[in-house]
Amino acid sequence: MELTQREEIEKVFIDGVFAMNTHQHKGNSANMTRLSRWASLVVIATGAAITFFSAAALAADRHENEGDRATQAGNGPGPAANGAGPGCNLIPPEASIGTRVDISEFPPPDSLTDPELAGPVQLLRSGNFDIPIERLTGVEVPAGSPRGTITLPLFKGAVKTPSGLKPAWYIILDAGDQAEADRLGVNFSRKLRNAGDAARPATRRADGTFLFESGIVDFSPDRLVIPGPEDRPFPPRVAQPGSVGDANYSPLVRVDGIVYDAPIIAAAVENAAINFPNGNPDYALVHDQVIAIDPAHGTVTLALINGFSFGKPVLYISTDSSDPGVSAIEANTFAPRMRRLEVGIDDIARSGVERIFIATNGPSEGGCNNPQRQGLSAALLDGHRPNNTFGGIPTIATDYSPVWDANLYEWTKDSIEKGYRGLLTEEFRILKLARDGYITGPNGAPFGSAGPVIVCGVAARLN
């Protein structure tokens, strides 16, 4: 049967980007049988889709060549949440700056007793931060130290597979029931009840852990991201994720009528294989955001990522996405089942998502030394986090969901030439700029949902 041009492009993508590790995906290639709306919008709109995807087919040979900047090759969590320079270090300064008294004379922040007031606030109460929230406003935290991690409870469940039950190691970041969220010390998201078939079924075993009816993750592929040309690094020429879920896998799980955000951190391995309590884990066996994992004591330490919500800096954990390219850039798991969620609907009654705003061409000159630094081009050029902006999070709004509908935006040429481009940290500022024509969707497309969703549990807001 003759293929359409769109199908030919898709076939190049599948046969190219993922052929490099087909032997590692262990049957998961079936998960990559359609081109994501994100790739369609961003790449086809540029008029360079064939170039982008055909370049991916040669990635195994080309990324080592002198002209290719493989800024994100290999596995692991990548740069820290607390990075070097003002463009990558979003940790707030001492409140005493500009006064005549020492910080020791200031009272404790009110948010430590009432999280409805100004921060910092630890949202994931089940975890322990290497940047102690209760000390955050009383000490100056140097850029790059500490790293920015959270240590969480690790659960050993099981998943049904054709070859029998296999271990399924998971964490819980959010719950769709307030009482259950309080019991676990995780975020409550009322939107999770709208997950529908994107949540896979599970039952609760006698010890309280989950028995998943299906869905497993292969952590063995090598993550590879090669940016585009220096003047337009996004979209990347190659974007291959480091972990891939099968068609049934989702981090969202429905148990006893409650939907949990319970991403898989390791699968089909026993305790000894993933025993890395002091760090340096084997990323062929565990999630790329893992810093250390201790199955004997039931804990896992994960990298935190910096961002913003309504002008406030936040720390979050990125675990999964519905698009392979997004998962490659985010260093998380490609979970194709998440494509079953409806996007572009934000806060209506049936919505299971909240919006995340991602610049494609934000300020990148000077890298982390640029206090206005933001966006995917910056991240692809310097390898640090893109400083994304979230919609509502707990203690700021009631419409929080850990499932984020990616709204990509691009600064117009006119805005850049007039010097209007800068760091955006608040949803309605972004929406106003879109309304007034200063930003658009990629390549002038209408502003709005780009298609993918990204699963990120918010761990803390910092002021």
Side-chain angles (χ1 to χ4, degrees):
M1 182 175 65
E2 185 176 353
L3 297 177
T4 66
Q5 183 183 22
R6 176 71 170 269
E7 289 168 334
E8 288 175 344
I9 293 172
E10 179 178 345
K11 187 175 187 299
V12 172
F13 178 59
I14 297 167
D15 293 345
V17 177
F18 296 99
M20 291 181 289
N21 283 288
T22 298
H23 68 285
Q24 295 176 319
H25 284 286
K26 303 174 183 175
N28 287 334
S29 59
N31 300 331
M32 302 158 196
T33 56
R34 68 181 181 89
L35 184 64
S36 71
R37 290 179 58 199
W38 170 73
S40 303
L41 175 64
V42 176
V43 181
I44 293 176
T46 67
I50 295 176
T51 301
F52 175 46
F53 291 128
S54 61
L58 302 176
D61 296 325
R62 296 185 57 196
H63 82 274
E64 294 179 352
N65 293 343
E66 185 176 349
D68 288 330
R69 301 178 313 283
T71 59
Q72 299 181 46
N75 300 314
N82 181 24
C88 296
N89 176 21
L90 307 184
I91 305 300
E94 293 178 353
S96 59
I97 290 176
T99 70
R100 297 191 300 272
V101 295
D102 186 76
I103 186 65
S104 61
E105 297 187 46
F106 278 59
D110 291 327
S111 65
L112 295 183
T113 56
D114 185 353
E116 298 301 322
L117 301 174
V121 176
Q122 180 171 333
L123 300 173
L124 275 178
R125 300 180 308 282
S126 61
N128 294 311
F129 291 86
D130 71 334
I131 304 175
I133 294 297
E134 65 274 9
R135 296 182 58 236
L136 195 57
T137 59
V139 297
E140 197 66 61
V141 179
S145 178
R147 176 189 173 88
T149 66
I150 185 170
T151 300
L152 292 166
L154 175 68
F155 302 96
K156 184 181 183 181
V159 58
K160 296 179 181 178
T161 75
S163 58
L165 288 184
K166 300 291 184 183
W169 300 87
Y170 65 95
I171 57 175
I172 299 177
L173 303 179
D174 306 87
D177 177 85
Q178 181 71 72
E180 183 68 350
D182 291 343
R183 183 184 73 85
L184 293 169
V186 301
N187 293 317
F188 166 59
S189 169
R190 59 170 46 90
K191 283 184 173 180
L192 283 177
R193 66 188 66 167
N194 295 328
D197 196 39
R200 58 184 173 141
T203 56
R204 197 182 309 272
R205 301 194 294 183
D207 63 358
T209 60
F210 296 163
L211 172 60
F212 304 96
E213 291 299 314
S214 62
I216 201 162
V217 178
D218 178 12
F219 293 98
S220 66
D222 289 326
R223 174 174 168 264
L224 177 64
V225 179
I226 301 178
E230 189 167 359
D231 61 344
R232 196 173 182 87
F234 180 83
R237 282 184 289 179
V238 177
Q240 174 180 302
S243 55
V244 179
D246 66 17
N248 292 318
Y249 169 70
S250 169
L252 305 186
V253 185
R254 193 181 306 274
V255 184
D256 299 332
I258 299 173
V259 176
Y260 298 83
D261 171 19
I264 295 295
I265 299 301
V269 289
E270 293 295 344
N271 301 38
I274 55 170
N275 185 41
F276 300 97
N278 299 316
N280 297 314
D282 183 349
Y283 288 111
L285 301 177
V286 301
H287 196 287
D288 279 351
Q289 295 298 325
V290 171
I291 301 293
I293 185 167
D294 187 346
H297 293 92
T299 63
V300 60
T301 301
L302 301 168
L304 292 169
I305 301 172
N306 47 27
F308 297 95
S309 175
F310 286 92
K312 300 179 182 297
V314 300
L315 296 174
Y316 65 95
I317 307 164
S318 182
T319 61
D320 303 83
S321 91
S322 64
D323 182 275
V326 172
S327 287
I329 294 173
E330 286 279 304
N332 67 23
T333 296
F334 171 40
R337 183 171 180 145
M338 296 299 294
R339 290 172 172 166
R340 303 182 191 186
L341 279 161
E342 185 178 6
V343 297
I345 57 175
D346 203 17
D347 292 336
I348 67 172
R350 69 174 184 272
S351 175
V353 300
E354 177 65 353
R355 292 200 275 185
I356 185 173
F357 303 92
I358 305 172
T360 63
N361 66 338
S364 61
E365 300 81 2
C368 291
N369 291 323
N370 184 349
Q372 297 294 316
R373 177 194 174 278
Q374 186 173 48
L376 295 172
S377 290
L380 288 167
L381 286 172
D382 61 34
H384 288 269
R385 309 298 193 181
N387 299 344
N388 294 328
T389 302
F390 291 90
I393 66 169
T395 73
I396 291 179
T398 60
D399 55 4
Y400 165 72
S401 172
V403 184
W404 300 93
D405 182 356
N407 282 222
L408 272 64
Y409 66 90
E410 178 175 295
W411 289 92
T412 66
K413 181 179 179 182
D414 184 58
S415 296
I416 296 171
E417 290 176 346
K418 291 179 176 176
Y420 297 161
R421 178 172 59 172
L423 177 69
L424 300 179
T425 64
E426 195 271 326
E427 175 178 357
F428 286 93
R429 174 65 172 161
I430 294 171
L431 299 183
K432 183 178 185 300
L433 290 169
R435 181 198 68 185
D436 296 342
Y438 295 104
I439 61 175
T440 67
N443 300 287
F447 173 81
S449 175
V453 296
I454 311 170
V455 183
C456 302
V458 177
R461 65 178 175 87
L462 303 185
N463 70 10

